[in-house]
């Protein structure tokens, strides 16, 4: 089920119901704006970096000193403040010529700049809203609805955040925040697939997630369970051996009790989904009560 189907059938979706099919402002992948033809376009040079910074910090006043530090994290030119004003002017023209009228407001206020964008028109906040709806549906035991919301959230990711830009180290915390949310939403989506018996897709998605999260025992456990429920017990047991080897090699400790217990259940041939708290509707983390 796509995002529009979900929103049309769920009155509780709130402000997302009136959002466009695809967000206008994009930070997932190369930063840019979707024009009237649905093509992603972006300003050039430092104006792109300024747009990305202001979108990451939308609805917050960014004072000129902070923006100068974020645009020139090393040695800044003597004309930095003058250059910043030029980039702001170029960004205003770009938004006026490219974005839908009234969808973004870039204003000067209090010695800084404020970019206001509706949540449903910025991909990261639209993602956050879908992911939150998905988690709430999962906690309520509405598994199919949770899958629809979480698919809508994860489908928005079209590449690394701010792809192609070299951002200041001061923005690392904000980038990591969105990356952590992405992984969390995808893990929740995998959880719904396990509950609904979509083991093939769960296996493929978990393998991709493990590339960047090789020490996540929750992911290893879900992969073991997906193999087992697909009548691939040998691969489930081999997955435990790989996980154990990786944990011991990198951390110098044995896997957690939960992962070891899962392996024992698979060995015994008795491994129901509700044996493990981290797969039970109403919980969203490994070992949560």
């Amino acid at each position: 089920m796509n995002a529009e189907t979900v929103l049309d059938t769920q009155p509780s979706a709130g402000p997302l119901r009136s959002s466009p099919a695809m967000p206008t402002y994009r930070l997932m992948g190369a930063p840019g704006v979707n024009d009237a033809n649905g093509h992603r376009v972006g300003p050039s040079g430092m104006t792109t970096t300024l747009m990305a910074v202001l979108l990451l910090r939308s609805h917050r006043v960014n004072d000129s000193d902070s923006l100068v530090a974020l645009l020139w994290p090393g040695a800044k030119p003597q004309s930095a403040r003058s250059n910043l004003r030029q980039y702001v002017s170029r960004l205003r023209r770009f938004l006026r010529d490219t974005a839908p009228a009234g969808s973004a407001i870039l204003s000067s206020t209090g010695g800084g700049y404020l970019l206001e964008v509706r949540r449903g028109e910025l991909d990261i906040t639209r993602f956050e809203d879908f992911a939150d709806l998905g988690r709430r549906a999962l906690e309520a035991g509405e598994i199919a609805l949770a899958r629809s919301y979480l698919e809508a959230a994860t489908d928005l990711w079209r590449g690394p955040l701010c792809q192609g830009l070299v951002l200041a180290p001061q923005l690392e915390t904000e980038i990591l925040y969105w990356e952590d949310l992405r992984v969390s939403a995808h893990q929740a989506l995998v959880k719904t697939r396990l509950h609904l018996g979509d083991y093939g897709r769960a296996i493929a998605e978990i393998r991709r997630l493990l590339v960047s999260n090789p020490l996540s025992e929750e992911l290893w456990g879900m992969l073991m369970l997906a193999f087992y429920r697909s009548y691939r017990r040998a691969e489930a047991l081999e997955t435990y051996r790989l996980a154990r080897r990786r944990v011991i090699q990198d951390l110098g400790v044995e896997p957690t009790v939960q992962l070891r217990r899962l392996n024992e259940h698979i060995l015994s041939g008795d491994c129901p989904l509700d044996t493990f708290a981290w797969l039970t509707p109403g919980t969203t983390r490994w070992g949560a009560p």
Side-chain angles (χ1 to χ4, degrees):
M1 187 183 299
N2 61 29
E4 276 55 57
T5 303
V6 173
L7 296 182
D8 287 343
T9 58
Q10 293 300 319
S12 61
L16 291 176
R17 285 174 58 79
S18 59
S19 298
M22 187 61 67
T24 300
Y25 302 93
R26 307 303 302 265
L27 288 175
M28 297 171 177
V33 174
N34 285 344
D35 64 15
N37 298 315
H39 301 135
R40 185 183 305 202
V41 295
S44 59
M46 290 288 280
T47 309
T48 301
T49 305
L50 174 63
M51 182 181 72
V53 170
L54 291 174
L55 285 174
L56 279 170
R57 298 182 162 193
S58 61
H59 298 277
R60 282 182 278 174
V61 176
N62 297 269
D63 64 79
S64 296
D65 288 340
S66 296
L67 288 174
V68 166
L70 291 172
L71 292 177
W72 294 277
K76 64 178 182 292
Q78 290 185 345
S79 59
R81 281 182 168 272
S82 174
N83 292 351
L84 173 61
R85 289 192 292 272
Q86 291 181 32
Y87 298 145
V88 169
S89 177
R90 292 174 188 172
L91 180 56
R92 281 198 177 107
R93 285 198 302 271
F94 170 78
L95 294 174
R96 182 192 64 215
D97 296 341
T98 308
S103 64
I105 301 173
L106 176 54
S107 55
S108 305
T109 178
Y113 300 95
L114 171 68
L115 181 58
E116 297 176 272
V117 179
R118 289 190 290 267
R119 287 187 65 84
E121 292 192 347
L122 175 58
D123 58 1
I124 55 174
T125 47
R126 186 171 169 85
F127 156 78
E128 185 177 39
D129 288 340
F130 272 128
D132 182 60
L133 287 166
R135 281 190 290 270
R136 281 192 276 155
L138 186 58
E139 289 169 0
E142 300 180 73
I143 308 301
L145 178 60
R147 179 183 61 182
S148 296
Y149 279 130
L150 292 164
E151 283 179 341
T154 57
D155 284 350
L156 288 168
W157 284 86
R158 304 297 173 90
L161 207 62
C162 299
Q163 188 173 25
L165 296 184
V166 178
L167 297 176
Q170 298 96 305
L171 292 171
E172 182 178 355
T173 300
E174 296 185 45
I175 298 295
L176 288 175
Y177 168 80
W178 293 108
E179 176 61 20
D180 287 344
L181 277 189
R182 181 191 70 81
V183 173
S184 175
H186 218 137
Q187 287 187 201
L189 175 58
V190 168
K191 183 174 174 178
T192 67
R193 298 206 193 286
L194 291 176
H195 276 289
L196 296 171
D198 192 0
Y199 303 123
R201 291 187 68 178
I203 289 168
E205 291 173 357
I206 295 168
R207 281 173 161 165
R208 285 201 303 270
L209 289 168
L210 277 169
V211 171
S212 54
N213 302 274
L215 295 176
S216 171
E217 292 191 37
E218 184 171 1
L219 286 173
W220 284 111
M222 287 194 286
L223 184 58
M224 291 165 61
L225 193 52
F227 276 132
Y228 175 78
R229 305 284 288 191
S230 301
Y231 303 99
R232 298 160 68 177
R233 184 159 66 160
E235 289 171 88
L237 296 171
E238 176 61 22
T239 296
Y240 175 74
R241 285 191 285 272
L242 291 172
R244 180 175 182 269
R245 185 186 312 153
R246 185 63 186 262
V247 170
I248 292 174
Q249 175 183 311
D250 288 12
L251 303 180
V253 298
E254 287 286 338
T256 59
V257 171
Q258 292 95 331
L259 200 67
R260 296 200 305 270
R261 186 159 57 89
L262 175 58
N263 184 57
E264 292 166 1
H265 276 270
I266 291 173
L267 279 169
S268 69
D270 178 22
C271 192
L273 281 175
D274 59 5
T275 299
F276 302 94
W278 46 276
L279 275 177
T280 303
T283 63
T284 55
R285 297 181 58 191
W286 179 281

